[in-house]
Amino acid sequence: MGKLDKFVQVGRVAFIANGADSGKVCAIAEIVDQNRVLIDGPCTGVRRQVCDMKRLHLTGFHLPLPHSSRTAVVRRKWLAAKLDERWTGTSWAKKLEARRLRASMTDFDRFKCARAKQIRNRIVSVAMGSLRKTSSPKLRKPNKKRHLRKA
Amino acid sequence: MAPKAQKKPQGKQMAKSSAPHKPKNSAINASRLMKYSRARIFQRKAAYKVKKVKTPAKKSAEKAAAAAAFVVKKIGGDKNGGERKVYKKTPKSLPTQVASRKVQLRPKKTFKKHVRRIRSNLAPGAVLILLAGRHKGKRVVLLKQLESGLLLVTGPRKLNGCPLRRVSQRYVIGTKTRIDISKVALPERLNDAYFRRQRSAKKSAASAGGSADIFAKSDAAYAVSAERREDQAAVDKALMGAIKASGDGPMLRSYLRSLFSIKSGQRPHAMVF
């Protein structure tokens, strides 16, 4: 088990995993009870609302928010902390973006992607082949026909 | 002093007012319902005052007899009634009962009159993936929708061997890829009749007459007509030009040459085409 360093606390930045606002990040403004929190994401288009913890995935970011801060305060702190840039810079956000792009590829895009991969792979295999030729015999690919010729 | 003859104003001979015509009845709320019923309007317009004009006399008896479908003929015999109505032209059916006609509130529309719809993502110039038939898996260009509702597509034949062909919307995936074919002039004669399957004349005569040898192999192998070659060449040339002019020219060419298939892990319902 990893470090237990992401706490459900006021100011914790959370990622909404399902529902209408899925895919967006927000800040926890207040804790309602064991299972629910009040979230607010003025800079990401998340309305101030009570949200079940089950829908949220906690991120590593934390804002210095006083509890029950109103939306304007959350916005101010969010912009001061430059959270939008910091979030999009994380590998989490980058992976989400990559997934989104892959899902939105049209048939032509998929063709172009496959074609580009093929060209790259050919370059790599040609370079690999020439490297193998110039390297020691041990590293060469075992040639079945060579065995037969010797015999 | 002669008394002035007073003219009683007759319903239809009243003096015409110079004011613009104001209809007495109007529709309610842009619906088909009128404010006043037929009976009410009859009263409001005082139509009971209007004298009914007598229609001119009916056609003379001779004309009526000539127009009738039968001739009245005298017959002999005491108790035969003396005359019979003889049909001039035997009608197709002589029903013994009056056929009760069902009132067709919405009569059946013939196939010609059916509304032809087209999916919104199928616009001329779209690249389609054919899912069935001889050319299944091929990516083709949609030229237009014909009158019958079928789509007119072409490979272009130069790229993937698919000729000018009709294809049903149902067996096609419309992709988001579009080619600008506004400058591609399609020959006028490309319509449903042009693509209609030709049944060999001999066979049709045989089926009608019933005298020819039914085992005779009368249909020759299909041969491409000269006009088909001509039209294909013309459309291909224009289309290749349009492909070249579009942004992704070389990629688009190899795209249209390639075949579509579902690979492992791909889920068509989740894919964007």
Side-chain angles (χ1 to χ4, degrees), chain B residues 161-182:
Chain B
C162 180
L164 282 163
R165 197 170 206 274
R166 290 190 297 178
V167 128
S168 169
Q169 271 182 70
R170 284 281 168 206
Y171 299 102
V172 135
I173 294 177
T175 66
K176 286 197 167 156
T177 319
R178 295 253 186 288
I179 302 169
D180 182 13
I181 61 165
S182 53

Side-chain angles (χ1 to χ4, degrees), chain A residues 54-75:
Chain A
K54 286 190 177 173
R55 287 214 281 139
L56 299 176
H57 295 186
L58 302 175
T59 69
F61 299 116
H62 175 245
L63 289 176
L65 269 185
H67 80 111
S68 288
S69 332
R70 58 194 171 87
T71 306
V73 174
V74 177
R75 179 183 283 120

Side-chain angles (χ1 to χ4, degrees), chain A residues 102-116 119, chain B residues 129 139 175-177 248 251-252 254-255 258 260 266 271-273:
Chain A
R102 181 172 287 134
S104 67
M105 273 203 286
T106 69
D107 190 52
F108 190 25
D109 289 336
R110 257 175 263 123
F111 172 81
K112 285 193 271 191
C113 184
R115 191 47 67 92
I119 292 167
Chain B
I129 300 172
R139 292 166 170 122
T175 66
K176 286 197 167 156
T177 319
D248 264 313
M251 265 294 175
L252 206 48
S254 38
Y255 175 58
S258 64
F260 170 80
Q266 285 185 327
M271 281 161 66
V272 168
F273 285 100

Side-chain angles (χ1 to χ4, degrees), chain B residues 152-207:
Chain B
L152 175 61
V153 300
T154 185
R157 190 163 177 274
K158 231 185 141 179
L159 292 179
N160 54 29
C162 180
L164 282 163
R165 197 170 206 274
R166 290 190 297 178
V167 128
S168 169
Q169 271 182 70
R170 284 281 168 206
Y171 299 102
V172 135
I173 294 177
T175 66
K176 286 197 167 156
T177 319
R178 295 253 186 288
I179 302 169
D180 182 13
I181 61 165
S182 53
K183 300 217 174 73
V184 172
L186 292 175
E188 290 284 314
R189 57 185 172 194
L190 294 178
N191 55 16
D192 284 302
Y194 181 90
F195 291 103
R196 209 188 156 83
R197 202 176 275 210
Q198 306 301 332
R199 304 277 174 202
S200 62
K202 267 193 199 171
K203 238 191 176 169
S204 53
S207 61

Side-chain angles (χ1 to χ4, degrees), chain A residues 77-148:
Chain A
K77 301 274 182 186
W78 188 287
L79 293 171
K82 294 201 176 73
L83 225 46
D84 282 331
E85 296 156 33
R86 287 164 73 194
W87 166 249
T88 51
T90 61
S91 55
W92 184 350
K94 284 182 188 158
K95 278 190 267 176
L96 287 174
E97 179 61 15
R99 220 182 287 164
R100 189 193 67 79
L101 280 172
R102 181 172 287 134
S104 67
M105 273 203 286
T106 69
D107 190 52
F108 190 25
D109 289 336
R110 257 175 263 123
F111 172 81
K112 285 193 271 191
C113 184
R115 191 47 67 92
K117 271 194 200 167
Q118 185 181 56
I119 292 167
R120 182 209 48 196
N121 289 341
R122 279 188 184 156
I123 294 169
V124 167
S125 59
V126 162
M128 190 60 182
S130 58
L131 275 178
R132 245 193 235 112
K133 261 196 189 168
T134 57
S135 67
S136 72
K138 271 193 185 173
L139 291 171
R140 285 207 200 117
K141 269 170 115 175
N143 191 341
K144 288 177 192 161
K145 284 187 183 165
R146 205 177 280 148
H147 289 301
L148 293 171

Side-chain angles (χ1 to χ4, degrees), chain B residues 201-218:
Chain B
K202 267 193 199 171
K203 238 191 176 169
S204 53
S207 61
S211 53
D213 182 12
I214 51 172
F215 295 109
K217 289 201 171 163
S218 51

